[in-house]
Amino acid sequence: MESRVVLGIESSCDETGAGLVRNGRLLGHSVASSMDEHARFGGVVPEIAARAHLHAFTPVVREALDRAGLRMADIGAVTVTTGPGLSGALQVGLAGAKTLAFSLGVPLYGVHHLAGHVAADTLEHGPLPDPCMVLIVSGGHTSLLLVRDLARDPITHLGDTIDDAAGECFDKVARVFGLPYPGGPAIDRAARDGDPRAVAFPRPLSGPRDSRHDFSFSGLKTSAARWAERYRLRGEELPLADGAASLQEAVADVLTRKAVAACREHGVDTLVVVGGVAANSRVRALAEERCLAAGITLRVPPPKLCTDNGAMIASVGDLLVRAGAEPAPLDVSIDPSAPLEYAALHPVARVAKAA
């Protein structure tokens, strides 16, 4: 396929993102976050997020074009997140993407949000090796994936979280610790002055009889909450830095231990760590340490490409366009709970017939 400028639109949660990619190279991108509007509620409010996407959509697309030095007429394809995510937020992004694609007369591609996180790494480190192991860690997802050709092949799930995701654990424990939302960056900052060995928090699903590749962070969350409660019941000051460092160490330990073990088991020599929690300093450091010891090549995108953004969605679209993938049908819809099976995601809404 000819090289086209691909516009990517991301609106699955509280970031409105637009990115422009051509032939594997990021030309420009822009992100508007409504995080501050959600912070006082301690989490994302779907109605607020959808309204924020409405206001931010056009300015974000314009800013991405300006940064790339491009015009609207230069866009050769439009890619948009069609799932998973918040229903109203996804609808706003899809409606805007359909409008742009139709008005420009260019193909539209729907993609899976998590495939976007995987593809984000290609903008920094080039094409993904075939095969590679991918650890996705974010607020709503923690998964170990065996990835071959991202644009063409099915994605193999080796393990997923059975309850709370790693980022969700950080968010909930941060609230108990009295730290602001979002919890991941707050825990990371608080942990800088702490002792990661101060509190013996559990390492969930790490026993010999446990699932080798699945994750569980609900018990760790509860353990941290009870630890904090004991101090408060005694009227003592919470040793926040030690608690944050110990929690962060437990999460990083489980994530990296399982990821490296999966690489060894499947004979894969490249580990790619992506998603919002991949920006965590201890996760990055411990992954680097363990991959180096195991002779595994580690790839982690820069922090700005770990969190939700339009560049990662444009990157998937760029791969699909170059692979000659079929565009989405005109009646493509959203799937807020879509499983990750392929990078392309073209669900169609089915209207029930009246009896």
Side-chain angles (χ1 to χ4, degrees), residues 35 69 73 146 175 212 319:
M35 189 177 296
L146 187 61
R175 191 168 187 175
R212 297 189 310 282
L319 292 173

Side-chain angles (χ1 to χ4, degrees), residues 26-66:
L26 177 60
L27 306 176
H29 76 115
S30 177
V31 178
S33 176
S34 59
M35 189 177 296
D36 290 345
E37 298 177 56
H38 304 285
R40 61 195 177 102
F41 301 102
V44 177
V45 180
E47 292 81 3
I48 293 176
R51 187 162 56 247
H53 289 307
L54 277 171
H55 291 304
F57 185 93
T58 299
V60 161
V61 171
R62 285 176 176 165
E63 185 171 37
L65 285 167
D66 288 344

Side-chain angles (χ1 to χ4, degrees), residues 270-286:
T270 300
L271 172 64
V272 184
V273 184
V274 298
V277 179
N280 178 273
S281 62
R282 185 55 183 156
V283 170
R284 295 171 82 95
L286 193 54

